[in-house]
Amino acid sequence: MITLGNGINLEAYEIRKQVQHFIDLRRYEKAKAIASDLISKYPDFAFAYYDMALCEYYLGRIDNAIELCQKSLELGMAPLTVYTAMMLYHNHKGDYKSVEFYYNNINKMGAIKADVRTMYGYSLWKRGRKKEGRNMIEEAFSEDSTNPAILYYILCTAKRGGKDKKRLRELINIYMNTGASEKDILMFAGRVEAHLGNWREAKKNFEKVLSIDPADLKADAFLAWTDMNKHLVKFGVYMFLAAAIAFFGYEEKIFKFLSVFLIFLYFMIVIIICKYRRDMF
């Protein structure tokens, strides 16, 4: 048996490859299960906690991700790696004070890589410092134009019209030259189309992703949202029909009020859903 540092043998690293494989496939529950078993067998294996934290993040359990990531640091994970992940998790949580803390610590270690500056720029953008954030992301892009993470943040912070519309289409071609898999390219293209409001084209791309990997839950979720227009129209017909019956079918003022309220409620629901859907992509 080959034993490495901290009493960890080669088997742990071989098992970790399985965890990473399923993370790459976006099978986060499967990856988490293997990482959990790995921790049970090798409780001092820092990489297992780090990988499990990533799974928890993508499964939406941010606090768990932060706790596991901190544990990996305590067990000897490289601080730079952990601080970068912590920036991602706290940024998603909206804890910008912690984002600042980890960014400043990374800064103390020396030159900050373009992808980390991009993440920080996105944090500024989320806080309302949009121009400053986008400028930082653009500077990072000028240094590393084929980094998928940077392209993703350009997409997230892009406007949905004007010059950005043409720029976003160019991003798809750039993304194709990053070395990403066909599935990831299709996913990115689908998100670009969705960001621009081209739901039909977005749907085609997500369907292609699922034809390659039917178990891709993220593509499946995005595909469901591209069909939301159809559901909103159907829902709208029922709401307007109910409002018309209430308004014209009854003389009482309460029914007149109810008809107006139903129409108002429908438009509020449409606005909320459309905003949420746009923010998703």
Side-chain angles (χ1 to χ4, degrees):
M1 180 183 294
I2 300 175
T3 302
L4 305 175
N6 297 328
I8 308 298
N9 66 49
L10 192 59
E11 180 191 32
Y13 291 90
E14 290 301 318
I15 295 174
R16 190 199 179 203
K17 290 179 181 178
Q18 297 177 36
V19 177
Q20 293 176 309
H21 171 71
F22 285 108
I23 288 175
D24 289 341
L25 292 176
R26 293 195 281 273
R27 309 278 179 81
Y28 302 118
E29 289 287 4
K30 178 68 174 178
K32 179 192 168 187
I34 298 173
S36 180
D37 290 342
L38 187 54
I39 289 170
S40 298
K41 194 169 185 178
Y42 299 100
D44 294 328
F45 190 42
F47 288 107
Y49 293 90
Y50 178 83
D51 293 340
M52 191 169 175
L54 192 60
C55 295
E56 291 284 33
Y57 166 74
Y58 283 116
L59 291 168
R61 297 188 279 264
I62 310 301
D63 288 334
N64 290 352
I66 291 170
E67 184 179 340
L68 287 162
C69 207
Q70 181 61 39
K71 181 67 174 179
S72 74
L73 180 64
E74 294 168 5
L75 290 172
M77 195 77 184
L80 178 60
T81 302
V82 173
Y83 293 164
T84 302
M86 284 293 208
M87 277 186 65
L88 176 67
Y89 304 153
H90 284 289
N91 200 17
H92 185 92
K93 190 177 179 181
D95 182 359
Y96 303 122
K97 185 176 180 180
S98 293
V99 173
E100 291 285 345
F101 172 79
Y102 288 110
Y103 183 75
N104 289 335
N105 274 279
I106 293 172
N107 196 26
K108 291 174 185 176
M109 295 178 184
I112 300 178
K113 291 184 178 179
D115 56 345
V116 175
R117 291 206 310 279
T118 301
M119 196 189 309
Y120 184 70
Y122 181 56
S123 172
L124 294 176
W125 185 86
K126 284 182 69 180
R127 289 179 243 179
R129 297 159 63 180
K130 296 189 181 297
K131 185 176 180 180
E132 187 180 354
R134 292 186 74 187
N135 286 343
M136 184 170 278
I137 293 171
E138 288 297 335
E139 287 174 8
F141 176 71
S142 67
E143 293 179 24
D144 189 358
S145 61
T146 58
N147 186 314
I150 295 175
L151 296 177
Y152 167 75
Y153 285 119
I154 289 177
L155 170 60
C156 290
T157 57
K159 297 176 182 177
R160 288 174 165 81
K163 295 179 181 178
D164 279 2
K165 188 171 183 179
K166 182 179 179 182
R167 173 86 181 289
L168 285 175
R169 295 211 174 279
E170 293 173 351
L171 286 185
I172 298 175
N173 293 327
I174 296 172
Y175 199 94
M176 292 175 68
N177 295 316
T178 62
S181 66
E182 181 184 2
K183 187 177 83 166
D184 285 341
I185 291 170
L186 288 167
M187 179 70 85
F188 185 79
R191 295 187 76 157
V192 169
E193 296 293 356
H195 192 86
L196 293 170
N198 301 325
W199 301 109
R200 185 175 297 177
E201 291 301 316
K203 181 178 180 180
K204 289 179 183 177
N205 281 289
F206 296 138
E207 286 175 339
K208 289 176 182 177
V209 171
L210 290 170
S211 70
I212 296 172
D213 182 5
D216 194 309
L217 296 179
K218 198 167 190 178
D220 193 46
F222 285 158
L223 182 61
W225 277 97
T226 61
D227 278 333
M228 189 57 65
N229 280 345
K230 180 174 63 179
H231 299 304
L232 283 175
V233 170
K234 186 182 291 186
F235 179 60
V237 170
Y238 290 126
M239 288 289 278
F240 277 95
L241 182 60
I245 291 172
F247 189 86
F248 295 108
Y250 300 90
E251 293 295 328
E252 293 87 345
K253 288 184 179 180
I254 186 65
F255 288 104
K256 306 292 185 185
F257 171 79
L258 179 61
S259 66
V260 174
F261 175 74
L262 287 174
I263 294 173
F264 173 77
L265 179 63
Y266 172 72
F267 281 114
M268 287 300 297
I269 291 172
V270 169
I271 290 170
I272 292 170
I273 288 177
C274 288
K275 184 181 185 305
Y276 180 81
R277 183 173 64 175
R278 288 176 65 176
D279 289 344
M280 260 190 89
F281 299 101

